[in-house]
Amino acid sequence: MSVLRNIKSLAPLLDRVLVQRIKPEAKTASGIFLPEAAVKEQNEAQVLAVGPGLLDRDGKRIPMGVTAGDKVLIPQFGGNAIKVGEEEYTLFRDHDILAKIKE
């Protein structure tokens, strides 16, 4: 069994999307540090990599809804968790991504 040493060596297949949750701010705008219990895990994530997409009945590639670099809204639960060192990542299917966040 090989250990994944670098997340960049992971290429999602088919309609899978590799994301990393955006960590919530532990400090308010005025500089007050929040206790860990008060900081709720956010459903926002950064897309790191996407698969090529599924094939339709005619063998044509169905385009993905997101691209690497997009900021997205993901479900609170689900996906497949991957841990590389101390960092956590999640693989979702393209249709599980809830929305793209436009900035």
Side-chain angles (χ1 to χ4, degrees), residues 20-88:
Q20 184 174 30
R21 283 186 191 270
I22 296 172
K23 294 185 176 43
E25 291 293 323
K27 186 169 76 169
T28 65
S30 60
I32 299 171
F33 285 95
L34 300 170
E36 196 171 311
V39 179
K40 185 181 175 200
E41 190 172 280
Q42 292 184 340
N43 291 0
E44 292 179 16
Q46 186 76 30
V47 176
L48 302 177
V50 296
L54 288 175
L55 296 175
D56 67 11
R57 290 183 186 185
D58 300 324
K60 294 179 184 170
R61 197 67 70 183
I62 300 170
M64 297 290 282
V66 296
T67 58
D70 285 346
K71 193 173 176 183
V72 295
L73 189 64
I74 56 174
Q76 184 69 34
F77 302 103
N80 297 93
I82 300 168
K83 191 165 185 173
V84 179
E86 295 299 313
E87 295 292 322
E88 291 186 21

